[in-house]
Amino acid sequence: MGLLADMELAPIEANAVQRALQRFGGTAFGTAVISGVIGPLDRMVHRSTQGRATAGSLFGAMPVVMLTTVGARSGEKRVQPLNAIPHEGDVALVGTNFGSGKVPAWAHNLRATPEATLTYGDRELAVVATEIEEAEHDRVFAAAIRIYAGYARYRREATNDIPIFHLKAKGPE
C-alpha cells in the first residue's frame, strides 16, 4: 500500500464548470490571476472546511495536498498547497511554479531536507521525498498534464528544468 491508499487520495471527476476553470487557469492570463491568489485561498478553504477541501479541489477538481517542509535557510516549517499526482501508488509533486521559470521554494526545501509532512483531508503522514530522474520524469509529467492541462503550457514556457518529487510514507525508524 502506498500514500494514495493511506490517504484515500482518489481522482476527482471534474464537472463542466471545473473543466472551464482548469482551461482558464492554463492560459497565460489565467495563470497570472490564479498564481497570486490560489495559495492563500487554498489555505483559507482548507482551514474553514477543517481539511475537507481546498480552493483547487472545489473549483478545479484538483487533488490538492498540503506539504509541510522545513525551510532550507530559515529552518522554519513551511506549508504549501500542491496538486498531488498519482505515481506508483504514492504521490508525485511537480515544481512548475506556475511556469515562472523559477524552482519553487518547497523544492529547494525538499532538496535540503527530504523529510516532510503531507496532509490530505484529515490525514497527515510523514513522508520522504526523492527527486525523480530523467527516465521517469516524462512519464510523471504526462500524468500531471492529464490531471491539469495547464502543466503543458508551463513546461513549454519553462526556462529551467522542472523538478518532480516522489513522496513515500516514511517507515518506522
Side-chain angles (χ1 to χ4, degrees), residues 12-119:
I12 301 170
E13 190 64 39
N15 63 34
V17 171
Q18 291 166 326
R19 286 191 301 274
L21 287 170
Q22 280 191 18
R23 281 192 302 279
F24 171 72
T27 67
F29 178 70
T31 297
V33 170
I34 291 171
S35 66
V37 298
I38 195 66
L41 191 56
D42 270 334
R43 289 181 194 89
M44 183 184 74
V45 172
H46 190 258
R47 275 191 308 273
S48 66
T49 63
Q50 298 175 333
R52 289 186 304 276
T54 63
S57 65
L58 290 176
F59 304 127
M62 307 280 191
V64 178
V65 295
M66 295 294 182
L67 175 71
T68 304
T69 59
V70 174
R73 286 190 225 149
S74 70
E76 296 179 18
K77 286 188 175 184
R78 304 287 185 202
V79 179
Q80 184 67 39
L82 298 166
N83 290 340
I85 310 302
H87 179 62
E88 298 179 355
D90 294 314
V91 171
L93 302 175
V94 181
T96 62
N97 210 1
F98 296 98
S100 71
K102 297 177 185 173
V103 174
W106 63 263
H108 289 295
N109 295 345
L110 285 178
R111 286 173 174 160
T113 306
E115 293 82 19
T117 304
L118 200 64
T119 305

